[in-house]
Amino acid sequence: QKEVEQDPGPLSVPEGAIVSLNCTYSNSAFQYFMWYRQYSRKGPELLMYTYSSGNKEDGRFTAQVDKSSKYISLFIRDSQPSDSATYLCAMSALDSNYQLIWGAGTKLIIKP
Amino acid sequence: EAGVAQSPRYKIIEKRQSVAFWCNPISGHATLYWYQQILGQGPKLLIQFQNNGVVDDSQLPKDRFSAERLKGVDSTLKIQPAKLEDSAVYLCASSFFTTNEKLFFGSGTQLSVL
């Protein structure tokens, strides 16, 4: 079993829909949770960064962490074709020297 | 602010040949990372530098891969000899922080080994 599981997709939704992307993890020591967006032929770009549990909102993006369920989510409101990309979750813990553990990424397609 | 620069963008070599990748991080970023990303997978850390020193190279295949960071700024990653399974995108990233927060990635080098 991988430490971080992420559905590879692709997830295809119409423009304007609310998108929900998720990761599950097995290590309860994870404290820092990140979402990166990766466009084709580009490097990942940090979207959201969350410490411990709770929600964090930035424009159309909301990151949610549920440590009791070992589950994190990224919500995208009013999705746009420009949101089409691969979304990678990553997480880290103090006791492993903050080494990032990555999900495999979910490919998202927003249809105009 | 200039981003992380990498070169070349693409490289095609035959197996058993050698190849080198170059990275220039964002100015002032002490931490530099080399990642390998195979299609359909998340990035895999090969090596992490803090200034000139190596913080983590536990997943670097040291029999064929080597990396150095000159004067705590630019870095090169070398593969010698290359194998078919080395075909991947090699990503360089840098961070101001030592706790792996907020990594900034370059566009990567797409390596094809034939």
Side-chain angles (χ1 to χ4, degrees), chain A residues 52-71:
Chain A
S52 195
S53 285
N55 292 0
K56 185 174 182 179
E57 189 173 321
D58 184 1
R60 297 185 296 112
F61 298 91
T62 298
Q64 197 171 76
V65 175
D66 182 346
K67 293 194 75 179
S68 61
S69 301
K70 298 192 183 73
Y71 188 89

Side-chain angles (χ1 to χ4, degrees), chain A residues 32 34 36 38 41-46 49 88 92 97-100 102-105, chain B residues 9-10 35 37 40-43 45 48 55-56 91 99-103 105-107:
Chain A
Y32 298 89
M34 289 137 273
Y36 282 81
Q38 186 172 25
R41 295 187 175 85
K42 294 289 187 181
E45 169 195 17
L46 181 66
Y49 173 84
L88 297 148
S92 65
N97 205 27
Y98 303 106
Q99 287 309 316
L100 289 177
W102 294 81
Chain B
R9 286 284 280 131
Y10 303 94
Y35 280 92
Q37 188 175 26
Q41 298 183 18
L45 180 68
Q48 177 181 343
V55 172
D56 185 350
L91 294 163
T99 51
N100 299 333
E101 302 169 40
K102 302 181 183 179
L103 271 61
F105 283 84
S107 291

Side-chain angles (χ1 to χ4, degrees), chain B residues 4-8 20-26 29-35 46-54 60 66-78 90-94 109:
Chain B
V4 176
Q6 284 190 251
S7 66
F21 313 124
W22 174 81
C23 174
N24 181 242
I26 293 173
H29 282 194
T31 311
L32 185 146
Y33 313 77
W34 283 102
Y35 280 92
L46 293 175
I47 190 166
Q48 177 181 343
F49 291 97
Q50 182 73 25
N51 295 310
N52 288 343
V54 175
L60 186 74
S66 64
E68 61 178 0
R69 189 174 184 194
L70 305 172
K71 299 179 182 177
V73 183
D74 290 10
S75 178
T76 56
L77 176 70
K78 296 179 181 178
Y90 291 84
L91 294 163
C92 178
S94 70
T109 297

Side-chain angles (χ1 to χ4, degrees), chain A:
Chain A
Q1 184 190 9
K2 293 181 181 179
E3 275 193 280
V4 177
E5 299 276 2
Q6 189 174 8
D7 189 327
L11 175 63
S12 183
V13 301
E15 183 176 355
I18 296 175
V19 175
S20 172
L21 302 166
N22 311 295
C23 287
T24 58
Y25 62 94
S26 56
N27 186 355
S28 58
F30 286 142
Q31 302 164 290
Y32 298 89
F33 303 91
M34 289 137 273
W35 286 97
Y36 282 81
R37 177 176 62 195
Q38 186 172 25
Y39 290 116
S40 180
R41 295 187 175 85
K42 294 289 187 181
E45 169 195 17
L46 181 66
L47 269 181
M48 301 287 285
Y49 173 84
T50 312
Y51 171 70
S52 195
S53 285
N55 292 0
K56 185 174 182 179
E57 189 173 321
D58 184 1
R60 297 185 296 112
F61 298 91
T62 298
Q64 197 171 76
V65 175
D66 182 346
K67 293 194 75 179
S68 61
S69 301
K70 298 192 183 73
Y71 188 89
I72 68 170
S73 300
L74 178 71
F75 298 97
I76 307 174
R77 290 183 299 281
D78 188 25
S79 56
Q80 305 294 311
S82 58
D83 295 327
S84 298
T86 296
Y87 289 79
L88 297 148
C89 63
M91 44 199 82
S92 65
L94 169 62
D95 65 1
S96 57
N97 205 27
Y98 303 106
Q99 287 309 316
L100 289 177
I101 306 300
W102 294 81
T106 299
K107 184 172 183 177
L108 174 66
I109 300 168
I110 308 296
K111 298 176 293 184

